[in-house]
């Protein structure tokens, strides 16, 4: 299925990209079954015994346990998701589901989010088991459905119905961390120790239906458009947490900047990652969809917009109140998905082990904690007492806008970065 001359991790990632697991959200998805079966077959080939859980047709999750040398130590979860967001092929330079190799990179939907990490997990575990070794502690390998819809039909159901998969586990690692970014003329790795809370809402404006030719001030579309424009243009203030304060202090030190510099100025020193970094210390309210009307000459009596709201942990209610003030009391806010925010300390044995593994493979490059502006399946695991980190280690070119490719066009990842990630993960689970 994949190109035989590629390193194993790239072949696995390429195979997974070629399995279209598009998730449009709201229960509308192609499903992860074929990807889960591919992963399961690979795990069986390593001598493991995968288990499947498909609570909703075609929304398939798969997991396996790798026995460690010291089974008295708490187990470590390595997890990824198998679904991807939609890709409009006409917008891409390549077929988003072809897994094309170009310029030393693997292209396709999922190359960044997150079939790359799925492949690195399988590659690292394979390297250890085929060498006749064991990890230091039990590993729980889990691959979830529906993460791109908040895990409603994936990890949330798994932790509810199959908590036995995670017996004895206290910590987890997954996506959106461990990758390098430029900082001034140097570089650093970001290790994710927190995630913003997520609220997906619908704004509803109401008016009076009528003929499109009339003078009609009570127009729901006009009312909604004004509210959406106000919210989308809102410049939310900087709000710091312990994690973001430490991140910015580290950036200032590496870039040789005054630590009292404005947070946005410090973020700007990270080049292509600047917008990603800047999103970590403020609320984000991005309108993402508009729905109104049913005929070109009929004024509808209602109009709706979806908004993606990401807030710092603990600020949810205050932000909702402010959103209501901004859009106006005549706009109804309907919540259709909400989850928790996370923030855990940048310390402890696992953090030391992750930092140490990066240091052994890229010596002298600092590792900084950060708070992810988005979310991962770590939130579901947190509900059963498992602390999650973002650690998908990739050594990236300074000019590659890696963070901009999350849910963007022309997703791609350097093949040598995937190989680097496997080496770091193998090192980590062999020793921690």
């Amino acid at each position: 299925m994949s190109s035989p001359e590629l390193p194993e991790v790239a072949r696995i990632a390429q195979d997974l990209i070629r399995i279209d697991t598009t998730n449009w959200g709201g229960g509308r998805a192609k499903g992860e079954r074929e990807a889960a079966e591919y992963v399961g077959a690979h795990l069986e080939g390593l001598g493991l015994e995968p288990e499947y859980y498909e609570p909703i047709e075609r929304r398939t999750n798969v997991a396996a346990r790798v026995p460690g040398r010291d089974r008295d130590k708490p187990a470590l979860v390595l997890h990824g998701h198998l679904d991807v967001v939609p890709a409009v092929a006409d917008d891409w330079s390549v077929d988003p589901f072809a897994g094309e190799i170009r310029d030393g990179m693997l292209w396709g939907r999922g190359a960044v989010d997150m079939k790359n990490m799925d492949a690195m997990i399988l590659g690292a575990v394979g390297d250890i088991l085929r060498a006749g070794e064991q990890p230091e502690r039990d590993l729980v390998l889990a691959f979830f459905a529906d993460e791109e819809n908040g895990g409603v039909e994936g990890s949330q159901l798994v932790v509810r119905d199959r908590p036995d998969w995670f017996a004895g586990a206290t910590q987890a690692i997954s996506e959106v961390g461990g990758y390098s970014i430029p900082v001034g003329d140097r570089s650093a790795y970001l290790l994710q120790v927190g995630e913003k809370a997520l609220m997906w809402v619908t704004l509803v404006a109401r008016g009076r239906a009528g003929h499109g030719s009339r003078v009609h001030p009570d127009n729901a579309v006009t009312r909604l458009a004004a509210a959406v424009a106000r919210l989308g243009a809102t410049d939310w203030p900087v709000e710091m947490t312990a994690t973001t304060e430490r991140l910015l202090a580290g950036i200032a030190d590496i870039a040789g900047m005054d630590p009292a510099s404005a947070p946005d100025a410090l973020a700007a020193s990270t080049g292509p990652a600047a917008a990603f970094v800047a999103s970590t210390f403020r609320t984000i309210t991005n309108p993402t969809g508009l729905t109104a009307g049913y005929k070109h000459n009929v004024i509808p009596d209602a109009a709706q917009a979806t908004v993606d709201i990401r807030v710092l942990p603990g600020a949810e209610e205050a932000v909702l109140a402010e959103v209501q003030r901004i859009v106006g009391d005549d706009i109804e806010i309907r919540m259709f998905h909400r989850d928790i925010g996370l923030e855990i300390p940048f310390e402890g044995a696992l953090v030391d082990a992750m930092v140490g593994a990066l240091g052994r493979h890229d010596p002298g490059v600092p590792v900084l904690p950060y708070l992810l502006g988005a979310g991962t399946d770590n939130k579901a695991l947190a509900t059963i007492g498992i602390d999650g980190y973002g650690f998908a280690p990739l050594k990236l070119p300074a000019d590659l806008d890696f963070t901009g490719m999350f849910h963007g066009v022309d997703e791609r990842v350097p093949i040598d970065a995937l190989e680097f990630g496997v080496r770091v993960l193998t090192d980590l689970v062999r020793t921690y």
Side-chain angles (χ1 to χ4, degrees):
M1 189 174 182
S2 58
S3 305
E5 71 277 7
L6 292 174
E8 181 190 47
V9 62
R11 293 199 306 271
I12 296 170
Q14 184 181 60
D15 286 346
L16 288 171
I17 287 169
R18 289 173 173 173
I19 303 171
D20 184 353
T21 53
T22 296
N23 185 355
W24 289 274
R28 181 169 168 250
K30 290 198 171 185
E32 297 82 2
R33 183 184 292 166
E34 289 77 16
E37 290 173 345
Y38 174 93
V39 169
H42 188 90
L43 295 171
E44 287 179 355
L46 296 176
L48 302 174
E49 299 179 358
E51 294 185 47
Y52 297 90
Y53 182 56
E54 189 179 282
I56 297 170
E57 186 176 4
R58 294 193 51 77
R59 309 314 303 274
T60 315
N61 308 270
V62 59
R65 184 174 288 257
V66 184
R69 293 189 301 271
D70 187 347
R71 308 203 72 180
D72 290 331
K73 289 185 175 180
L76 176 67
V77 182
L78 304 181
H79 66 96
H81 63 83
L82 297 171
D83 61 325
V84 296
V85 296
V88 179
D90 289 346
D91 296 339
W92 285 57
S93 304
V94 299
D95 179 343
F97 296 103
E100 183 173 326
I101 305 296
R102 182 190 293 186
D103 302 325
M105 296 191 186
L106 173 62
W107 295 59
R109 180 59 91 208
V112 168
D113 185 12
M114 68 166 295
K115 290 176 176 178
N116 59 343
M117 177 59 166
D118 295 333
M120 290 193 295
I121 292 170
L122 295 174
V125 172
D127 283 351
I128 289 174
L129 295 182
R130 284 192 294 261
E133 302 176 10
Q134 286 180 281
E136 173 62 20
R137 65 185 67 221
D138 277 15
L139 301 179
V140 178
L141 313 180
F143 299 85
F144 296 116
D146 202 43
E147 190 276 344
E148 297 294 1
N149 186 47
V152 175
E153 296 185 350
S155 60
Q156 291 189 27
L157 299 182
V158 173
V159 299
R160 184 193 71 185
D161 300 336
R162 296 305 308 269
D164 54 294
W165 280 4
F166 310 101
T170 57
Q171 294 174 308
I173 60 176
S174 188
E175 60 176 331
V176 205
Y179 56 89
S180 64
I181 62 168
V183 180
D185 59 359
R186 298 174 61 193
S187 62
Y189 286 94
L190 295 181
L191 200 162
Q192 188 245 105
V193 298
E195 304 178 11
K196 282 185 174 178
L198 178 155
M199 296 184 288
W200 288 334
V201 304
T202 300
L203 305 181
V204 182
R206 301 194 181 281
R208 182 166 52 86
H211 199 289
S213 67
R214 293 171 53 94
V215 174
H216 197 98
D218 190 14
N219 188 313
V221 176
T222 303
R223 184 170 294 126
L224 178 72
V228 168
R230 288 194 300 273
L231 185 59
T234 297
D235 185 12
W236 291 87
V238 169
E239 297 180 82
M240 306 300 293
T241 72
T243 300
T244 51
E245 286 175 352
R246 189 163 177 178
L247 168 65
L248 292 180
I251 289 173
D253 181 59
I254 296 166
M257 297 176 66
D258 183 346
S261 300
D264 285 326
L266 292 168
S269 73
T270 65
F276 202 75
V277 172
S279 73
T280 69
F281 45 74
R282 52 167 52 85
T283 291
I284 300 294
T285 49
N286 276 320
T288 55
L290 295 167
T291 305
Y294 46 90
K295 194 173 186 296
H296 60 274
N297 62 349
V298 178
I299 300 168
D301 63 0
Q304 299 184 0
T306 53
V307 182
D308 190 342
I309 303 176
R310 311 289 177 130
V311 305
L312 297 177
E316 295 92 329
E317 296 306 321
V319 167
L320 277 176
E322 181 63 7
V323 168
Q324 186 72 77
R325 187 195 68 77
I326 292 167
V327 300
D329 291 339
D330 57 344
I331 302 293
E332 179 187 357
I333 300 176
R334 295 178 180 171
M335 184 81 62
F336 65 90
H337 181 71
R338 180 173 181 171
D339 66 24
I340 59 175
L342 305 172
E343 188 171 20
I344 52 181
F346 183 60
E347 60 186 37
L350 178 54
V351 169
D352 291 344
M354 291 186 286
V355 171
L358 284 171
R360 286 189 289 277
H361 294 273
D362 195 6
V365 180
V367 181
L368 304 177
Y370 88 110
L371 181 74
L372 175 64
T376 76
D377 285 319
N378 279 328
K379 293 181 177 182
L381 293 174
T383 65
I384 56 173
I386 298 174
D387 289 335
Y389 298 87
F391 189 70
L394 296 166
K395 184 179 180 181
L396 300 167
D399 60 351
L400 182 67
D401 186 9
F402 180 74
T403 59
M405 289 187 285
F406 281 86
H407 298 191
V409 300
D410 287 345
E411 259 187 87
R412 59 199 183 275
V413 63
I415 292 173
D416 59 4
L418 293 174
E419 294 179 282
F420 172 86
V422 170
R423 291 194 298 271
V424 174
L425 283 177
T426 302
D427 189 349
L428 174 68
V429 300
R430 180 181 280 133
T431 58
Y432 174 69

